[in-house]
Amino acid sequence: LYYWYKRPRNFPPGPRGIPLLGMVPFLGKHTEKDFRKWSKKYGPMMSVRLGQNDWIVLGDHKTINECLVKGGNSFSGRPDHPVFKQVTKNHGVAMVDYGDHWKVQRRFGLTTLRGFGVGKRGMEDRIVEEIAYLNNAIRSNNGKPFDIAELMANGVSNNISSIVMGQRMDYNDEIFKTLSKKAPNRLYLVTYSWLYVYNSDTIGKITKLVLYMPFLRNLLFLFLSKPKEAIVNWVSQHKSTYDEHNVRDFIDAFIGEQKKETDVSFTDLQLIQYVRDLYVAGTETTTGTLRWAVLCLVHHPEKQNKLRKEIFDVIGREKTPSMKDKAQMPYTCAFMQELFRFRTLAPLGVPHKISNDVQVQGWSIPKGTWLVCNLWAVHNDPDVWDEPSKFKPERHLDEKGNFVQSKYVMPFSVGPRHCLGEQLARMEIFIFLVSMVQKFEFLPDPNEPRLSEVQQGVSGFMCVPHPFKQIAKEV
Ligand code: HEM
C-alpha cells in the first residue's frame, strides 16, 4: 500500500487505480480514449499508474510540442522494457535508448534512406514498379469481394525489400511470406495493458519467467525468428558479393560503414536488427493506413469520385502517378491528411523515457520516467477540429480550394525521435492510393453486412481495421 500511495515529489497528478495493477483493470479496448477521459480531469500533463509504474501521459498538442520538440533530447529515451530488450537485444534503432549508439545509427539510417532515393526519383521508381504487381493482384479478383490486407502488406513489404536488399521479391516466395505476414503484422496485438502488467515488479516477475522457458519463449517470439534467418542469409550473400563502387542497397551501405571501422556500433547484430526494425516499423503502419484509406473510399463514394476526378484531371487515366503531380492535387493532399487524422495508426506513438530530471509546466519529473503522447487526442481535439469523428477531407482546404497543411496532424510524432520512415511512408501512400483509385472503383461487399463507417479498429501499439472485404471494379 505504501508503494501504491508513494509518488515522486511535485509529480503530475493522475489516477492511481488499485494496488499492484494500478489503472490496468480500468483500461478499455482503446487505451488512448481512456487516457483522454482522464486527461480531461487531471490536465494535459498527467500521470497514470500502470502496474507498479507511474507513466506520464501528454494529452494535447501544446504539451507534446513543449516536451518532445522544445525539451528535445531530455524526452528522447526509450523504456528499458523486458519485452523490448528481449526482441531487440538493445540493437537496431527503434527501441534503442537515447545515446551515442542511437545517434550514430539514426544519422546513418536517415542519410542512407535519402541516398536510396527516399524523397528522390529512385525510390519512387521502386514504389511505382510495385504498384503494377499490386494492381494485377487486385485485378485477379475479377470484381469479386476480397480482403485487400494481404495484397497491401505484400506491396508495402516489397518497398522495404527493395531498399534493404536491392530487389523486390515474388509474393509467393516462402521467405517473403514470412517477412511480410509474420513479423510486421502483429503489432496491433501488443496491447498497452499487457506491456504495463508485464513490466510491473510482482506480476511481471511471474510472467517474465516465460522468457526463461525456451518452449514458451519460442512460441511467444515465433513470429520474429524466421525473418531473422532470412536476414542473416541476405547479409552473408551481400558480404560475398560486396563491391564498394556499386553500393546496391541498405545492407551494402552498412557493410561499407563496417569496413571503414569508424564506429564500433556497426556490428552484424546491429545490421540484422536494423533491417528487422525497418520491416516491422515500415510494414504494418503503411499497410494499416492504406487499408483505412480503402475503407474510407468504400464508405464515402462521393469523396472517392472527387479524388478520381482530380487524378484524371491532373494525371489522366494512363500515366503513372509521380510525386511531382502532388503539388497540383490539393484534394488528394487533403484526403491523405484527413486519413492520417481520422484514424491515428499509432494512437499513443511509441513510448519514450525521460533521460534527465526535468521541470515542465511547474511539475518535476525524475529521470527514467516513462512517457506516452496521446497523438489520437490531438487528432480528435474538439477545440481544433469541428466534428472530429467525421471523415471530411474538405476541412483541409481553404476557400479557394488550396490545401492547408496542419500542425495538428502528427501521425509520425514530433521531435528528435519522430518516425525515421516518414518521407518514405508519405510517398508510398500517395503513389499506392492514387494508382489504385486511378484504376479501380472501390465498392462495399453486398454479401456482408455493411461495416459501420465508425469502425474503430483493433487497437494495440497500432490501430488497424477489423478484417473487411470490398469489391474493386476496373474503371
Ligand atoms: C517511429 C509512425 C511508417 C520506420 C515511428 C513513431 C511513429 C511512427 C508514431 C514513433 C515516434 C516517436 O517515438 O515519437 C509511423 C506511421 C507510418 C510509419 C504512421 C506510416 C503511415 C514507417 C516506415 C518506416 C518507419 C515506412 C521505415 C521504413 C520507423 C522507425 C522508427 C519509427 C525506424 C523509430 C525511430 C527512432 O526511434 O529513432 N513511426 N511510421 N516508419 N518509424 Fe514510423
Side-chain angles (χ1 to χ4, degrees):
L1 274 178
Y2 169 74
Y3 282 111
W4 171 72
Y5 191 73
K6 203 177 118 203
R7 251 188 193 157
R9 262 172 174 266
N10 193 32
F11 200 63
R16 277 196 177 87
I18 56 171
L20 292 183
L21 292 174
M23 290 303 285
V24 169
F26 307 101
L27 291 176
K29 282 187 181 160
H30 290 265
T31 309
E32 64 280 9
K33 293 186 185 169
D34 299 318
F35 282 177
R36 185 175 67 177
K37 198 168 67 199
W38 301 332
S39 282
K40 278 188 183 154
K41 182 167 173 199
Y42 295 100
M45 171 161 301
M46 66 162 179
S47 62
V48 178
R49 175 74 52 91
L50 295 161
Q52 283 160 273
N53 299 77
D54 283 302
W55 285 65
I56 296 295
V57 178
L58 309 180
D60 68 7
H61 177 266
K62 181 173 164 283
T63 315
I64 293 176
N65 235 30
E66 195 173 334
C67 296
L68 264 53
V69 180
K70 294 195 190 125
N73 303 340
S74 302
F75 288 85
S76 295
R78 284 279 189 236
D80 28 17
H81 192 283
V83 170
F84 299 154
K85 262 199 229 157
Q86 174 70 26
V87 174
T88 67
K89 312 265 188 297
N90 286 334
H91 283 72
V93 68
M95 299 321 291
V96 171
D97 200 4
Y98 182 77
D100 289 343
H101 177 100
W102 171 77
K103 282 190 213 164
V104 169
Q105 294 299 328
R106 167 118 187 162
R107 206 177 309 124
F108 166 77
L110 282 174
T111 20
T112 310
L113 289 184
R114 285 198 194 114
F116 283 110
V118 174
K120 294 189 198 146
R121 187 70 201 155
M123 187 62 224
E124 204 179 319
D125 284 342
R126 296 168 203 235
I127 300 172
V128 166
E129 181 192 2
E130 200 53 42
I131 194 77
Y133 291 92
L134 179 64
N135 281 348
N136 280 341
I138 295 176
R139 206 166 281 126
S140 70
N141 290 285
N142 298 320
K144 296 206 183 78
F146 70 102
D147 185 343
I148 202 160
E150 189 179 324
L151 302 185
M152 205 70 98
N154 285 345
V156 170
S157 288
N158 248 341
N159 292 335
I160 309 280
S161 306
S162 177
I163 298 174
V164 163
M165 54 151 200
Q167 61 186 71
R168 67 176 302 280
M169 296 171 84
D170 191 274
Y171 291 167
N172 293 317
D173 186 295
E174 283 308 314
I175 294 174
F176 181 71
K177 281 187 191 163
T178 1
L179 275 165
S180 87
K181 281 183 211 151
K182 291 216 169 92
N185 291 303
R186 297 289 181 272
L187 285 178
Y188 71 91
L189 294 175
V190 182
T191 65
Y192 276 81
S193 359
W194 182 72
L195 279 182
Y196 301 142
V197 174
Y198 190 83
N199 193 50
S200 69
D201 290 346
T202 319
I203 298 176
K205 268 185 193 127
I206 304 166
T207 43
K208 264 176 224 165
L209 282 177
V210 168
L211 296 184
Y212 298 106
M213 296 182 202
F215 169 71
L216 289 176
R217 188 178 62 194
N218 287 346
L219 208 65
L220 191 64
F221 293 107
L222 184 68
F223 68 90
L224 291 164
S225 55
K226 283 270 178 208
K228 186 176 166 190
E229 276 170 35
I231 299 166
V232 171
N233 283 339
W234 295 342
V235 170
S236 62
Q237 281 164 15
H238 274 68
K239 283 197 171 174
S240 59
T241 52
Y242 176 76
D243 171 3
E244 62 176 317
H245 304 296
N246 177 24
V247 176
R248 296 160 293 185
D249 47 42
F250 188 90
I251 297 182
D252 269 358
F254 195 97
I255 295 172
E257 291 297 324
Q258 285 183 318
K259 295 208 181 281
K260 281 191 216 155
E261 290 182 2
T262 44
D263 194 287
V264 288
S265 65
F266 287 92
T267 60
D268 281 1
L269 179 59
Q270 169 62 18
L271 173 54
I272 291 160
Q273 189 53 47
Y274 213 140
V275 169
R276 208 149 76 163
D277 274 6
L278 294 180
Y279 272 103
V280 173
T283 304
E284 191 174 355
T285 43
T286 314
T287 304
T289 306
L290 284 161
R291 287 177 64 215
W292 282 122
V294 171
L295 212 53
C296 290
L297 293 171
V298 167
H299 286 294
H300 299 276
E302 70 299 344
K303 300 187 197 311
Q304 184 178 165
N305 288 340
K306 262 189 177 176
L307 194 60
R308 189 171 298 105
K309 180 172 178 332
E310 185 175 79
I311 296 169
F312 285 172
D313 287 350
V314 177
I315 304 177
R317 285 170 179 263
E318 295 306 327
K319 207 190 103 202
T320 310
S322 146
M323 290 308 284
K324 284 197 207 111
D325 302 320
K326 202 172 166 205
Q328 299 165 61
M329 300 175 75
Y331 191 78
T332 311
C333 295
F335 189 97
M336 274 176 64
Q337 185 159 275
E338 181 64 350
L339 179 66
F340 288 138
R341 185 203 68 79
F342 180 65
R343 287 294 175 259
T344 312
L345 222 284
L348 295 169
V350 177
H352 285 221
K353 186 180 76 184
I354 295 169
S355 326
N356 317 303
D357 292 348
V358 288
Q359 299 276 335
V360 215
Q361 298 187 354
W363 304 110
S364 314
I365 310 172
K367 173 180 173 177
T369 307
W370 295 2
L371 167 145
V372 288
C373 299
N374 199 340
L375 303 177
W376 176 87
V378 178
H379 293 170
N380 287 275
D381 184 345
D383 292 339
V384 177
W385 308 106
D386 167 45
E387 299 189 291
S389 63
K390 298 216 164 123
F391 181 75
K392 293 201 284 191
E394 291 72 16
R395 67 171 94 235
H396 305 287
L397 297 172
D398 66 13
E399 61 286 354
K400 289 187 183 140
N402 298 317
F403 170 61
V404 185
Q405 184 97 42
S406 171
K407 65 178 181 182
Y408 298 102
V409 180
M410 46 203 296
F412 301 97
S413 189
V414 285
R417 205 100 210 198
H418 80 275
C419 176
L420 184 79
E422 174 169 353
Q423 266 184 300
L424 168 63
R426 286 185 184 277
M427 191 186 272
E428 289 179 289
I429 292 165
F430 176 79
I431 293 182
F432 275 26
L433 176 68
V434 169
S435 314
M436 287 190 307
V437 176
Q438 185 188 36
K439 298 288 173 208
F440 303 99
E441 183 184 5
F442 290 92
L443 301 160
D445 170 9
N447 305 319
E448 271 191 23
R450 203 179 143 127
L451 276 170
S452 159
E453 176 190 341
V454 288
Q455 141 151 218
Q456 299 293 319
V458 196
S459 196
F461 245 47
M462 305 283 149
C463 178
V464 298
H466 289 281
F468 67 95
K469 286 186 180 172
Q470 76 296 298
I471 287 174
K473 208 172 94 188
E474 284 210 62
V475 289

